[in-house]
Structures are given as C-alpha cells and as structure tokens.
Amino acid sequence: MKQPHTFLATTLLVSISHSSTAMEFAGCYSEPGELINNGTYMFQSIGYCRDRCLAQEDISHMALEGGNRCYCGTNAPPARAIVESSNCSLPCVGYALETCGGDGFWQVYLI
Ligand SMILES: *[C@@H]1O[C@H](CO)[C@@H](O)[C@H](O)[C@H]1NC(C)=O
Ligand SMILES: CC(=O)N[C@H]1CO[C@H](CO)[C@@H](O)[C@@H]1O
C-alpha cells in the first residue's frame, strides 16, 4: 500500500513545482482549433500536460479540456472561439486546486 501513496505524493509535488514555471494563460475556448489531443491521465494536471507537450517538437501551446484531456500544438484556437474563463472551471483529476478546462471548453496556455 505504500507505493501508490508515494507515487501520488510525487506526482502532486511535480505538478505544483511545474505549474509555477513561466507560462501564459491564453484564454478559454469553445473549440480546440489545431491543437492535438494527447489523451488522458489519471493524475492529469496543468504541469503534467505541459511536460507532455514540451517533450514534443515545436510545441508553443497547450490546452486542457474536460478536467482530464491534454492538447498540444503550435497555434491557439481561433480568437472567435474565446469564451468567458468561467467556462473553464472543471478541477483537474490529478490536482483539484487547478482547473483543467470545461466539458467542451479548452483552457489554453502559451508555453
Ligand atoms: C503524448 O505526448 C508524448 C510526449 O510527451 C508522446 O510521446 C505521445 O506519443 C503523445 N500521445 C499522443 C496520443 O499524441
Ligand atoms: C459558448 C458557451 O457555451 N459559453 C458559455 C460560457 O458560460 C456562460 C455562463 O458563465 C454561458 O452563458 C455561455 O453560454
């Protein structure tokens, strides 16, 4: 029973430390545009998604959607798709103190 707890604690610490590094919130959007779905993760967070995206070539933007899905890409979605930030208010499954988009709403960052 020790290992899962150690793993969770490590994941949370990594999430917290990475979410404090430089990146810029680019808005809440009602469509992903050209951002590509990198999938879900049981401990998804802004920091975890950022790491997945930065591990890929030529990535400048990332987004979270549905509380869990991580998207990576080179462009923000079109400006016409910007909605109120309150539509991106689902807690991240891996770190509930952060939000990870909404149902059908993409929380976009310049990374
Ligand atoms: C998600 O990102 C990782 C790099 O961090 C990559 O290896 C993997 O292929 C990506 N998965 C998908 C489904 O795009
Ligand atoms: C596009 C969309 O559904 N936007 C919603 C965002 O949230 C507000 C309420 O906070 C809704 O009125 C909008 O419809």
Side-chain angles (χ1 to χ4, degrees):
M1 289 307 285
K2 236 177 183 173
Q3 272 180 337
H5 288 138
T6 305
F7 178 58
L8 176 59
T10 304
T11 304
L12 290 178
L13 285 174
V14 167
S15 303
I16 292 165
S17 62
H18 286 182
S19 62
S20 64
T21 56
M23 61 180 174
E24 188 184 327
F25 177 60
C28 180
Y29 293 75
S30 60
E31 55 179 89
E34 296 168 6
L35 296 173
I36 294 167
N37 191 347
N38 191 255
T40 60
Y41 175 56
M42 67 188 299
F43 298 121
Q44 190 67 267
S45 67
I46 293 171
Y48 182 83
C49 179
R50 181 171 180 272
D51 287 349
R52 296 286 76 65
C53 293
L54 288 178
Q56 299 172 32
E57 299 284 315
D58 301 324
I59 294 297
S60 60
H61 286 76
M62 68 169 217
L64 294 123
E65 185 270 333
N68 198 338
R69 279 172 291 279
C70 173
Y71 286 69
C72 310
T74 52
N75 288 303
R80 62 176 156 72
I82 291 178
V83 298
E84 287 173 47
S85 295
S86 59
N87 290 307
C88 287
S89 55
L90 282 179
C92 301
V93 292
Y95 184 47
L97 296 181
E98 293 175 346
T99 60
C100 279
D103 276 324
F105 293 107
W106 284 259
Q107 184 175 320
V108 179
Y109 293 89
L110 178 64
I111 58 176

